DNA sequence: ACGGATTCCTGATGGC
DNA sequence: TGCCATCAGGAATCCG
């Protein structure tokens, strides 16, 4: 499930494969995947060249010519795949819902096709015309990026969540952007902080440790191309950070720090694994 | 107002 | 073996 390191990996792979290419054709086989009307979606994108691919929190952002943008949230199972342009709507690869035919500048032959693939169909693609992206992003009210926020920002933003449990606060993208279930559990264990603790009780010293561990783990995960659990895979291959998970999915196994068994609970509706003995 | 529950989806898994 | 129920989870939306 794509979180910050997986979104970053996908954005980098996508940038390497698509920047400089022009979208010559768009086909949508499952219209709900496109947040707006699919014809409006296609006409906003067709003819535009991809100039940059980046990440905003867990969103993937493609900058296009004529101040247009394509913003994608991968949710649980969204991914990208390359292939040849489908002959019709019945000719899509399995679980692929949108196809973008890409050409070299001043050419007309489709060089490659970018597919949006999403088994569970939770992801959404949105196209924006000039001036439309900023208000949308503004409305998302995303907090500072988990990778670049300062210790003070971690402290101020998390304590403002008051009685919310620390794990739930970390998953709230309006507090800090980028954490998902995996990296929240991994970070909390590394920082020896309880997911059940009230976020409002976090001291500056604790927030500082939390941030240090978060940045260490997120960067390490990026160097490993993310964590491949269930089906995550970036265009240039899967990740391997799952091999270094200490908390996620490790319920019942001994805590790597004290040896007591890790317990599984539910916090904020999410499966949470932690060490009741180490994490205070 | 704020936090918890529900909803969207499908493949994997577990129990009988 | 087969079938059905349950679970997984990001974030918008609904609810108390």
């Amino acid at each position: 499930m794509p979180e910050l390191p997986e979104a970053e990996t996908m954005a980098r792979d996508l940038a390497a494969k698509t920047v400089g290419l022009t979208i010559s054709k768009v086909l949508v086989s499952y219209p709900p995947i496109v947040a707006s009307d699919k014809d409006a979606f296609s006409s906003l994108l067709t003819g535009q060249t991809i100039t940059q691919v980046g990440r905003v929190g867990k969103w993937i952002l493609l900058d296009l010519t004529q101040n247009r943008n394509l913003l994608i949230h991968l949710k649980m199972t969204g991914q990208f795949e390359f292939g040849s342009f489908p002959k019709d709507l019945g000719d899509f690869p399995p679980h692929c819902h949108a196809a973008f035919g890409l050409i070299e500048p001043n050419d007309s032959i489709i060089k490659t096709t970018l597919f949006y693939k999403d088994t569970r169909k939770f992801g959404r693609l949105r196209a924006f015309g000039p001036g439309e992206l900023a208000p949308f992003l503004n409305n998302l009210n995303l907090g500072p990026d988990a990778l670049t926020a300062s210790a003070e920002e971690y402290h101020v933003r998390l304590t403002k969540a008051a009685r919310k449990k620390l794990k739930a606060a970390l998953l709230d993208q309006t507090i800090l952007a980028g954490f998902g279930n995996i990296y929240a559990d991994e970070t909390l264990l590394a920082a020896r902080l309880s997911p059940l603790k009230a976020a409002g009780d976090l001291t500056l010293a604790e927030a500082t440790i939390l941030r240090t561990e978060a940045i260490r783990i997120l960067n390490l995960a990026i160097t490993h191309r993310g964590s491949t659990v269930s089906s995550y895979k970036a265009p240039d291959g899967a990740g391997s950070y799952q091999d270094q998970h200490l908390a996620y999915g490790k319920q019942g196994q001994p805590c790597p720090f004290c040896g007591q068994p890790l317990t599984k609970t539910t916090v904020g509706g999410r499966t949470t694994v932690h060490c009741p003995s180490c994490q205070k």
Side-chain angles (χ1 to χ4, degrees):
Chain A
M1 43 232 67
E3 302 178 23
L4 188 156
E6 291 77 22
E8 179 69 28
T9 301
M10 289 206 190
R12 288 180 186 180
D13 284 4
L14 213 49
K17 287 178 155 21
T18 67
V19 167
L21 299 179
T22 299
I23 299 170
S24 70
K25 255 180 169 179
V26 178
L27 209 50
V28 177
S29 61
Y30 180 75
I33 214 80
V34 172
S36 59
D37 172 73
K38 76 177 166 64
D39 295 326
F41 177 82
S42 302
S43 67
L44 270 171
L45 302 177
T46 303
Q48 304 309 320
T49 300
I50 299 166
T51 56
Q52 199 173 325
V53 183
R55 174 186 67 78
V56 181
K58 300 180 201 172
W59 298 74
I60 305 283
L61 176 62
L62 283 77
D63 292 339
L64 310 173
T65 44
Q66 291 189 8
N67 293 312
R68 302 185 190 196
N69 301 93
L70 173 58
L71 187 66
I72 301 166
H73 201 300
L74 305 157
K75 290 288 180 84
M76 312 298 303
T77 53
Q79 49 188 271
F80 301 105
E81 194 171 288
F82 288 87
S84 49
F85 201 80
K87 289 189 283 292
D88 53 52
L89 294 180
D91 188 35
F92 275 62
H95 306 301
C96 288
H97 312 301
F100 304 89
L102 302 176
I103 59 174
E104 294 279 8
N106 308 317
D107 198 356
S108 59
I109 315 248
I110 291 180
K111 183 190 179 193
T112 185
T113 295
L114 169 66
F115 287 99
Y116 177 71
K117 176 177 179 172
D118 192 339
T119 309
R120 291 187 200 168
K121 303 177 178 173
F122 282 6
R124 290 293 177 267
L125 286 70
R126 293 167 192 271
F128 297 93
E132 293 173 352
L133 176 69
F136 181 84
L137 287 178
N138 225 33
N139 192 250
L140 286 177
N141 197 24
L142 291 177
D145 196 83
L147 211 46
T148 51
S150 67
E152 288 72 20
E153 283 178 301
Y154 265 72
H155 184 234
V156 167
R157 303 202 57 101
L158 288 167
T159 50
K160 211 155 59 175
R163 289 180 305 281
K164 194 177 247 191
K165 294 186 176 75
L166 183 54
K167 164 76 180 276
L170 280 179
L171 292 178
D172 184 340
Q173 303 299 296
T174 69
I175 293 175
L176 289 166
F179 286 104
N181 208 33
I182 296 174
Y183 297 101
D185 277 8
E186 293 298 321
T187 297
L188 288 170
L189 176 58
R192 314 286 206 282
L193 289 168
S194 172
L196 307 170
K197 184 187 179 69
D201 293 343
L202 203 67
T203 64
L204 178 58
E206 288 170 334
T208 302
I209 293 168
L210 182 68
R211 170 183 176 267
T212 301
E213 291 305 317
I215 292 175
R216 180 182 67 77
I217 287 169
L218 292 170
N219 275 323
L220 192 58
I222 290 171
T223 67
H224 287 267
R225 301 181 50 76
S227 302
T228 290
V229 294
S230 70
S231 64
Y232 161 78
K233 188 174 159 302
D236 289 335
S240 61
Y241 191 69
Q242 68 280 4
D243 297 340
Q244 296 185 43
H245 288 175
L246 298 178
Y248 181 83
K250 306 293 183 187
Q251 59 271 19
Q253 297 190 27
C255 167
F257 304 112
C258 74
Q260 294 297 305
L262 298 173
T263 62
K264 177 175 159 178
T265 55
T266 299
V267 181
R270 296 285 167 269
T271 298
T272 298
V273 177
H274 82 292
C275 173
S277 146
C278 285
Q279 294 178 255
K280 299 297 180 195

